[in-house]
Amino acid sequence: AKSATQEGVRWTRFLTHPMAQRVHDQAKVLLNLLQWQIQVPSLTTWVSTLSRRVAVLSTDLFEAQIRSAEHSALNFAEGMLVLSAFSPRDLPRPLACGLVALCLAETGAIDSHDLRPQDVWEEEWEDLRFNALSSPAPPASDPSFQVNVLLLAFGCELEQLQQACMMTL
């Protein structure tokens, strides 16, 4: 293990490197342009952003379901933030993807079975969903359009969305 002194020396060398100074200068310019008004993406901001993307990409075909899902996902997100200590693996974007997708499934806009990772048994998936969301599975339908809208809105592959849903549960 490196000592604190060794880390301090390494950090000082980094800060005095010409490239580090240029990055620092560019960051200051950017922050000044933004008038230091920055907002770190949080779970709730990702939920709202992703919900808006789904609404735009689905041309508001499911407007009521999207609004309902966003409202539910925001409530879950606020509860998660209050009740849970997040670890570094709990990044807000994947959690928000999982929340929005699962809440859309709860509205019946998509079939939750399409969100199940292949390595999770169907019974386990239903138990996890029921325990996490406390409502039964929506009726099955042809989800290809809706799931493709989610994948496009979230900028991920189906397997990533399924893993995000699993991480959320």
Side-chain angles (χ1 to χ4, degrees):
K2 294 182 180 181
S3 71
T5 305
Q6 289 173 322
E7 285 298 318
V9 168
R10 190 171 148 250
W11 184 244
T12 303
R13 283 186 192 145
F14 170 76
L15 290 177
T16 57
H17 190 275
M19 180 61 85
Q21 186 60 47
R22 284 197 310 221
V23 169
H24 176 74
D25 292 343
Q26 289 175 351
K28 280 177 69 174
V29 168
L30 181 61
L31 287 170
N32 285 328
L33 284 172
L34 295 172
Q35 298 175 345
W36 288 80
Q37 299 295 313
I38 59 171
Q39 182 177 7
V40 177
S42 68
L43 185 55
T44 54
T45 56
W46 272 116
V47 164
S48 295
T49 299
L50 295 172
S51 297
R52 276 185 256 126
R53 286 181 185 176
V54 171
V56 167
L57 291 169
S58 66
T59 59
D60 290 324
L61 289 174
F62 312 104
E63 184 178 351
Q65 289 116 321
I66 293 168
R67 273 189 278 129
S68 175
E70 179 181 10
H71 180 73
S72 296
L74 285 170
N75 286 336
F76 278 113
E78 289 169 5
M80 289 172 80
L81 294 173
V82 170
L83 299 174
S84 301
F86 284 94
S87 72
R89 78 167 189 77
D90 296 327
L91 299 173
R93 188 178 188 281
L95 282 173
C97 287
L99 273 174
V100 171
L102 289 167
C103 289
L104 279 168
E106 288 301 303
T107 69
I110 60 173
D111 185 351
S112 67
H113 297 288
D114 290 322
L115 303 175
R116 179 179 59 86
Q118 292 179 350
D119 61 341
V120 176
W121 291 97
E122 195 165 330
E123 295 80 21
E124 179 186 4
W125 177 251
E126 288 306 316
D127 287 344
L128 287 168
R129 279 187 58 258
F130 183 78
N131 291 332
L133 304 174
S134 299
S135 64
S141 62
D142 180 19
S144 57
F145 173 74
Q146 296 94 327
V147 172
N148 285 332
V149 166
L150 290 183
L151 297 178
L152 189 57
F154 297 169
C156 65
E157 299 294 324
L158 180 59
E159 293 77 22
Q160 292 169 310
L161 178 58
Q162 291 169 337
Q163 290 304 317
C165 289
M166 190 64 188
M167 179 177 28
T168 303
L169 295 174

